[in-house]
Amino acid sequence: MLFGKKQKLRKMENARLFQHLEEQKQKLDSGKQLIERSIDPSEEVIYHMKVTEVIYSFLLREARERRASKDELR
């Protein structure tokens, strides 16, 4: 019984992790497009882009460490 709750909790947290990953990926892609379209991007835009990239990398590493996959969520 205890293992069922643990599996359910793990599945919910993995789903939340993938949701955050998708959000950060979208922010990263839009930031890259903004920088590519800009003639002279401001330092603030570049800074936010780097922060988003670091967060995205962290979330990817976390998913790898958990050995989580989207296939398990179904």
Side-chain angles (χ1 to χ4, degrees):
M1 187 111 192
L2 179 64
F3 293 112
K5 288 182 182 180
K6 201 173 192 179
Q7 287 294 90
K8 185 177 179 182
L9 183 61
R10 180 175 288 133
K11 195 172 185 178
M12 286 176 19
E13 288 301 316
N14 285 346
R16 205 169 107 198
L17 174 66
F18 283 114
Q19 180 183 5
H20 288 300
L21 263 168
E22 288 294 322
E23 290 171 3
Q24 292 301 317
K25 178 67 172 162
Q26 289 176 357
K27 286 181 184 179
L28 187 61
D29 290 342
S30 66
K32 283 182 180 181
Q33 288 177 357
L34 180 64
I35 289 175
E36 287 175 5
R37 293 179 184 166
S38 298
I39 295 171
D40 188 24
S42 69
E43 290 182 23
E44 186 177 345
V45 172
I46 294 171
Y47 172 76
H48 284 292
M49 164 89 158
K50 287 182 181 181
V51 169
T52 303
E53 192 171 13
V54 169
I55 292 171
Y56 182 69
S57 296
F58 171 77
L59 292 173
L60 278 176
R61 273 185 273 140
E62 182 66 25
R64 282 188 205 121
E65 284 182 22
R66 290 184 186 189
R67 295 184 179 153
S69 69
K70 285 188 174 183
D71 294 336
E72 292 174 357
L73 299 177
R74 295 181 187 156

